Amino acid sequence: MAALERYDLIFRNVRLRSGETVDLGIREGRFAAVQAGLAGEAGRVIDAGGRLASPPLIEPHCHLDAVLTEGQPRSNASGTLLEGIAIWAERKQALTHDDVKQRATEGILWYASQGALHIRTHVDVCDPNLTALKALLEVREEVRDLVDLQLVAFPQEGILSYPRGAELLEEALRLGCDVVGAIPHYETTRDMGVESLRIAFDLAEKYDRLLDAHCDETDDDQSRFVEVMAAETIARGLQGRVTASHTTAMHSYNNAYAFKLFGWLKRADLNIIANPPDNIILQGRFDTYPKRRGMTRIKELLEFGINVAVGHDSVMDPWYPLGTGNMLHAAFLALHIGHMSGYDEIPRVWDLVTDNSARVLNITDSYGIAPGKPADFVVFDAPTDRDALRMLAPALWCVKRGRVVFEREPSTVRVYREGQEPRPVVYLR
Ligand code: 17E
Ligand code: FE2
């Protein structure tokens, strides 16, 4: 009889998103076999019991320099974006290298332990010392065993409205940021907003980087910078490499304009990132009743064929006081706020925190459960993506490049009924 094929690690009985139940054979950090009834042996064999194995969750938009600073030096009383920026500007004065490294690393552990093994973080570069950036450049290397981290050079207080903003942005790229950021709606004037985008696009071309701008994060229906991003993307042939984050003003655009805009977003192959946790709290703050949700048009953009992803944005910072870095929370909110509760829409919500984000991060070649790809995946305590979203199911095993990096004991609730044997309560039908 032929010797059994040897693997480093085997996961048996995982259910893929397609519904197929298979075994995963992993060797040298990659999927070597993805098939039912795999004949093989390994140093460690884990039986997943028919649970969902998904490509890792992705956090495509967060702010790890500000993570875990809620209440420092004070909480956000108005709940607005602008008060958040003002509080952060104060907290920024007190940043130290170790402070940023410690909080960012803790935040990454929170995200990764709940299944997010790829993270894109914005880093505020409106700081003459670039303290946060220098810290996060080190963190990016130190956490490589757990997550792939992308850094966006993010000019929180403006490229043109902050002293030497453009120079600091360029210096951040020279130091090794992966992505160019911008914040046109925060610049002093409309013209400065347009010009700031041109500067960001010039830098993206000069340094051959992706671009991801905070764009139109306001309830002002006159904030129309995403059309400028589409035009610049097309003019420079950067289709697929550019992302507009937040775009909450799109919620308030009239439908005639929104429809015209969609055509240009599609031609530009622009990615859109919605951030439900922050924006459901930050937006609508100047309304009485009815209050706008201020969420970009996730469902309609998807139906139009535009790539949309979902980010968490903040975990306990001046903009959002809650959160644990669980990307399923963000997806769950997107489902509700975006009216994506239809039977076939729920798996599309899973895409928002997996495949669609992989397109944003430009990592589709190395992302997914298939022979030859890096063995990155997460087994959730649920049989399907639909159930995992419904139950906000915990991640039982997170695997990065073929290594189990987090393992969780599922908790059990027992019910004690009169005259009956105790039994566990299971949230499955
Ligand atoms: N900065 C910003 O401009 N917008 C946000 N939502 C956060 C930081 C969290
Ligand atoms: Fe953001």
Side-chain angles (χ1 to χ4, degrees):
M1 210 173 94
L4 281 178
E5 190 84 23
R6 184 88 203 156
Y7 299 94
D8 301 329
L9 176 66
I10 293 177
F11 267 77
R12 295 212 180 272
N13 297 313
V14 303
R15 196 196 303 228
L16 302 178
R17 291 191 62 203
S18 63
E20 232 185 317
T21 301
V22 297
D23 299 335
L24 305 174
I26 294 149
R27 201 185 293 127
E28 288 171 7
R30 291 181 180 269
F31 294 111
V34 178
Q35 64 190 68
L38 182 67
E41 53 184 15
R44 186 171 181 200
V45 179
I46 294 173
D47 188 343
R51 294 182 177 86
L52 170 70
S54 170
L57 303 178
I58 298 176
E59 165 57 299
H61 185 120
C62 65
H63 295 260
L64 289 176
D65 51 355
V67 76
L68 303 175
T69 61
E70 201 280 321
Q72 302 170 10
R74 61 195 163 86
S75 290
N76 187 333
S78 66
T80 58
L81 170 69
L82 297 179
E83 184 173 346
I85 295 175
I87 295 170
W88 171 241
E90 290 174 42
R91 178 59 175 84
K92 213 157 54 167
Q93 309 293 325
L95 286 182
T96 67
H97 190 75
D98 289 345
D99 161 44
V100 176
K101 282 188 74 171
Q102 190 269 327
R103 286 183 293 98
T105 304
E106 189 65 16
I108 288 166
L109 288 180
W110 289 16
Y111 273 108
S113 64
Q114 299 179 89
L117 305 181
H118 298 270
I119 299 176
R120 172 182 282 185
T121 181
H122 295 252
V123 189
D124 187 357
V125 296
C126 290
D127 166 7
N129 302 315
L130 296 176
T131 301
L133 178 63
K134 287 171 188 165
L136 274 153
L137 285 163
E138 289 184 17
V139 171
R140 184 176 65 184
E141 304 312 313
E142 288 170 9
V143 299
R144 271 193 197 284
D145 58 332
L146 302 179
V147 300
D148 295 309
L149 190 60
Q150 287 188 359
L151 305 182
V152 186
F154 173 49
Q156 174 70 77
E157 295 178 66
I159 295 174
L160 293 168
S161 310
Y162 185 80
R164 295 182 47 236
E167 270 173 63
L168 289 164
L169 181 60
E170 182 157 9
E171 177 62 11
L173 296 173
R174 258 190 246 112
L175 288 174
C177 276
D178 306 282
V179 185
V180 188
I183 185 163
H185 56 276
Y186 188 79
E187 303 283 356
T188 319
T189 67
R190 156 98 201 163
D191 288 347
M192 288 163 77
V194 172
E195 181 57 22
S196 75
L197 284 173
R198 298 228 170 86
I199 292 170
F201 273 85
D202 284 347
L203 290 171
E205 285 191 312
K206 181 172 172 188
Y207 291 90
D208 190 25
R209 305 290 156 86
L210 301 174
L211 193 151
D212 184 343
H214 280 63
C215 192
D216 301 321
E217 190 184 11
T218 165
D219 294 324
D220 176 7
D221 63 342
Q222 301 298 308
S223 187
R224 294 183 171 188
F225 292 105
V226 72
E227 68 182 21
V228 179
M229 292 187 68
E232 291 294 327
T233 301
I234 293 167
R236 298 165 192 252
L238 294 176
Q239 282 88 343
R241 295 177 60 81
V242 177
T243 298
S245 282
H246 297 289
T247 65
T248 56
M250 200 187 290
H251 189 93
S252 297
Y253 294 158
N254 68 72
N255 288 338
Y257 174 66
F259 184 76
K260 172 218 166 191
L261 179 65
F262 279 18
W264 288 107
L265 297 179
K266 190 161 177 179
R267 270 161 262 172
D269 194 6
L270 208 85
N271 303 296
I272 301 288
I273 298 179
N275 295 292
D278 278 49
N279 287 130
I280 202 62
I281 284 196
L282 298 173
Q283 309 313 131
R285 289 284 180 160
F286 299 98
D287 293 354
T288 56
Y289 286 94
K291 292 183 198 252
R292 283 170 288 178
R293 297 178 177 191
M295 185 62 47
T296 197
R297 303 188 185 200
I298 300 175
K299 176 171 167 147
E300 294 77 11
L301 286 161
L302 287 172
E303 280 168 359
F304 205 85
I306 294 162
N307 188 45
V308 182
V310 154
H312 199 304
D313 204 13
S314 292
V315 178
M316 299 183 73
D317 72 10
W319 297 275
Y320 184 74
L322 308 173
T324 65
N326 185 339
M327 288 309 297
L328 295 189
H329 291 175
F332 192 78
L333 284 172
L335 186 158
H336 287 78
I337 304 164
H339 280 168
M340 292 188 62
S341 52
Y343 189 79
D344 292 329
E345 286 172 328
I346 295 178
R348 301 286 70 78
V349 174
W350 196 270
D351 295 342
L352 295 172
V353 288
T354 55
D355 295 350
N356 296 10
S357 285
R359 274 177 69 182
V360 171
L361 268 58
N362 224 9
I363 57 168
T364 50
D365 289 351
S366 58
Y367 183 81
I369 299 177
K373 296 208 180 197
D376 296 352
F377 63 98
V378 178
V379 177
F380 289 92
D381 194 9
T384 67
D385 47 18
R386 224 184 282 279
D387 290 298
L389 267 173
R390 175 175 62 81
M391 301 188 290
L392 298 171
L396 296 189
W397 292 280
C398 303
V399 178
K400 188 70 176 172
R401 288 188 205 96
R403 242 169 34 85
V404 174
V405 288
F406 295 97
E407 193 162 23
R408 174 182 268 103
E409 306 285 336
S411 67
T412 305
V413 181
R414 257 175 232 96
V415 56
Y416 303 102
R417 306 289 304 275
E418 285 187 15
Q420 294 180 21
E421 285 297 307
R423 66 167 180 88
V425 179
V426 179
Y427 304 99
L428 293 169
R429 269 188 303 179

